[in-house]
Amino acid sequence: MSVIIGQKEYFKGIEKIKFEGVDSDNPLAFRYYDENRIVAGKTMKEHLRFAIAYWHSFCGDGSDPFGPGTHHYPWDVASDPRQRAADKADAAFEFITKMGAPFYCFHDVDAIDQSNDPKEFTSRVQYISDIFAKKQEESGVQLLWGTANLFSNERYMNGAATNPNFEVVAHAGAQLKSAIDATIKLGGRGYVFWGGREGYMSLLNTDMKREREHFARMLHTCVEYARRNGFKGKFFIEPKPCEPTKHQYDYDSATVIGFLREFDLMSEFGLNLEVNHATLAGHTFAHECQVASDNGMLASMDANRGDYQNGWDTDQFPTDIYEWAEAMAIVLRQGGLAGGGINFDAKRRRNSTDPADLFYAHIGGMDTIARALLIADKILTHGEMDRLKAARYSSFDSGKGAEFEQGKLKLEDLYQIATEIGEPALISGKQEYLENLLGRFV
Ligand code: XLS
Ligand code: NI
Ligand code: NI
């Protein structure tokens, strides 16, 4: 049976989304995201490097633990897996092009059905990545990152690279090989590791030390393979503290950076930070971004938001301008994302069942982040926030403070200084003042 490609229009009646500005009343237009607008020396398109997540947008059917899917996709009907994958690719590239997003991201199993036979699955991934290559060429859309889904298949229930059974680890390796091959073929800017099953449910049956070592070993093995086969991009780890596993080894930015240092992987990796994962780890998104940036590891982002009342990964589209303004200020201060982009790891709600809802969702997300970029640029150009922060530490810029930073003072020296200077003055942290300053630009 031969596969038919590119015959249908799936999102009929919706044209390419255009920038119309803040006064527009058109719900299918951008009000802030103007891809050619120059901000801090680069176009918005170059700053933000928006990507569409294949899994949520073209596979996620709205099902939840209490009921089946509500999103009935016309590209998801053919019985032959190759035909169905080709139809899905048509829909995906039509949507991505109409959204004007320069990038997309996918897991191997989003692109085409998994087969438990590694040879058949590899051949399927090769097949669909050939189609993706052609579609990239035609549309100009590029791959931000590829990844292997090492969490859905039942064989990974006790972990993938961290599974106590070597046979499962070998299967994870097989899947990683073909996902890395596809990423290389498609010129992916990055390759992501998100370890949903890399962790434990109970320490009673888990040798955590050995599992973490196996995880590091697998990462080294992947890096060696990818570099030998011409991969020029960056490797990303996406931290998440839990869900589906009770405790995941890639808990948060600080934990992952410690892990990468411990196993000598810092130079090959960056972090892909997700807003909702920060929330689950008990951090703000800005906290996660700042920890990564301070270590030169803020590389890419998964844009979404959690829910203040529900404690799971609800993956809603981002709307919080304050949250994103703080994050974008961190990105601008470090001169841009190090190698990655901003991927919408977000899904429409189960009851958002119109095809147009997928557009509204992404328009809202892209506009929120574009607006945040403009706000961040204003904050930095105005400069007072950064000046005030620097001024708080000015006692370390010269004199004894500078000597302390340089490691020139002993504990006895601190004792001596304290006895001479008397009680320090109370210096205000000016939090409300700074909150107002941020509010002025929002
Ligand atoms: C799940 C993760 C996942 C990664 C890619 O919570 O966010 O979607 O982004 O495997
Ligand atoms: Ni994610
Ligand atoms: Ni997530």
Side-chain angles (χ1 to χ4, degrees):
M1 188 175 116
S2 68
V3 170
I4 304 158
I5 302 168
Q7 303 270 308
K8 265 203 214 148
E9 189 182 8
Y10 287 98
F11 300 94
K12 278 216 184 70
I14 299 179
E15 302 300 318
K16 189 168 191 309
I17 307 300
K18 292 202 223 41
F19 170 72
E20 292 185 7
V22 282
D23 296 326
S24 173
D25 255 342
N26 178 2
L28 286 168
F30 294 118
R31 300 169 77 245
Y32 293 92
Y33 180 60
D34 177 2
E35 60 173 29
N36 297 317
R37 177 164 173 184
I38 305 281
V39 184
K42 273 194 285 188
T43 63
M44 277 193 162
K45 188 175 173 180
E46 289 167 310
H47 273 290
L48 302 171
R49 297 162 64 84
F50 282 133
I52 307 296
Y54 215 85
W55 54 103
H56 286 308
S57 291
F58 315 114
C59 313
D61 61 2
S63 57
D64 67 16
F66 301 93
T70 52
H71 304 155
H72 305 295
Y73 293 133
W75 53 83
D76 196 27
V77 291
S79 56
D80 174 51
R82 286 175 168 75
Q83 179 67 59
R84 196 149 25 84
D87 291 345
K88 201 197 299 187
D90 284 343
F93 279 81
E94 181 193 331
F95 177 79
I96 300 165
T97 310
K98 284 183 170 173
M99 277 312 306
F103 293 103
Y104 70 109
C105 302
F106 72 100
H107 302 84
D108 48 3
V109 309
D110 311 332
I112 195 156
D113 293 355
Q114 185 157 25
S115 157
N116 276 347
D117 169 4
K119 275 195 189 151
E120 166 60 11
F121 188 45
T122 298
S123 131
R124 287 186 189 182
V125 172
Q126 281 166 350
Y127 165 83
I128 194 65
S129 52
D130 285 340
I131 292 182
F132 284 179
K134 196 160 156 274
K135 298 221 161 252
Q136 288 186 195
E137 177 95 32
E138 285 164 9
S139 63
V141 170
Q142 296 172 59
L143 178 63
L144 186 65
W145 48 260
T147 188
N149 174 327
L150 300 179
F151 44 91
S152 297
N153 193 292
E154 66 178 12
R155 71 163 76 102
Y156 301 126
M157 67 177 188
N158 289 309
T162 63
N163 198 291
N165 177 3
F166 170 69
E167 292 184 359
V168 177
V169 175
H171 271 273
Q175 221 183 305
L176 283 160
K177 180 182 176 300
S178 74
I180 290 171
D181 286 340
T183 304
I184 296 172
K185 187 203 291 181
L186 296 169
R189 300 297 197 277
Y191 184 88
V192 161
F193 293 87
W194 171 65
R197 306 273 177 201
E198 313 293 23
Y200 64 81
M201 305 301 279
S202 168
L203 273 181
L204 297 176
N205 61 13
T206 303
D207 183 339
M208 182 156 55
K209 181 169 189 291
R210 211 161 176 187
E211 291 199 1
R212 288 175 69 258
E213 285 165 2
H214 291 172
F215 186 41
R217 172 61 53 220
M218 186 64 97
L219 295 181
H220 275 291
T221 307
C222 288
V223 170
E224 188 281 322
Y225 175 79
R227 293 300 180 217
R228 178 157 45 83
N229 286 279
F231 179 57
K232 298 271 182 293
K234 204 154 177 101
F235 298 92
F236 303 132
I237 287 198
E238 184 177 323
K240 187 176 182 182
C242 55
E243 198 208 13
T245 307
K246 174 189 158 56
H247 178 95
Q248 278 157 216
Y249 296 138
D250 297 330
Y251 197 95
D252 60 0
S253 286
T255 310
V256 172
I257 290 167
F259 169 84
L260 293 171
R261 277 219 176 88
E262 181 180 349
F263 292 100
D264 196 21
L265 286 157
M266 285 290 276
S267 60
E268 295 284 3
F269 279 79
L271 299 189
N272 179 44
L273 296 178
E274 178 166 320
V275 185
N276 206 158
H277 298 180
T279 313
L280 292 176
H283 302 307
T284 60
F285 186 46
H287 170 94
E288 287 294 84
C289 293
Q290 192 65 61
V291 170
S293 183
D294 289 347
N295 286 278
M297 299 295 275
L298 178 55
S300 209
M301 292 173 164
D302 270 10
N304 60 17
R305 77 175 202 275
D307 180 292
Y308 291 124
Q309 287 75 42
N310 293 339
W312 65 86
D313 202 6
T314 58
D315 286 343
Q316 296 170 83
F317 276 82
T319 54
D320 189 331
I321 293 172
Y322 280 89
E323 182 165 66
W324 277 94
E326 274 193 74
M328 292 318 297
I330 297 167
V331 171
L332 285 183
R333 285 188 195 105
Q334 69 162 37
L337 287 167
I342 301 179
N343 166 50
F344 286 99
D345 194 351
K347 58 188 179 207
R348 296 171 286 157
R349 297 305 86 191
R350 185 168 192 268
N351 57 351
S352 297
T353 47
D354 292 342
D357 291 327
L358 191 60
F359 285 86
Y360 299 139
H362 284 88
I363 290 168
M366 287 160 83
D367 265 351
T368 297
I369 298 170
R371 195 172 166 188
L373 173 70
L374 295 171
I375 293 163
D377 179 47
K378 279 190 210 149
I379 292 169
L380 298 202
T381 310
H382 181 266
E384 189 182 355
M385 194 176 287
D386 289 19
R387 274 198 302 278
L388 278 174
K389 195 189 280 190
R392 279 190 95 200
Y393 300 88
S394 57
S395 60
F396 293 94
D397 292 344
S398 58
K400 293 293 175 195
E403 286 179 30
F404 172 77
E405 276 196 351
Q406 292 152 12
K408 290 181 181 160
L409 299 186
K410 296 207 163 48
L411 207 51
E412 297 91 317
D413 298 324
L414 296 181
Y415 180 85
Q416 188 58 36
I417 294 165
T419 56
E420 286 164 10
I421 56 179
E423 187 57 31
L426 296 180
I427 303 174
S428 171
K430 287 188 166 36
Q431 183 172 326
E432 296 77 7
Y433 180 93
L434 287 160
E435 284 167 354
N436 294 355
L437 188 60
L438 172 61
R440 240 199 274 166
F441 297 108
V442 170

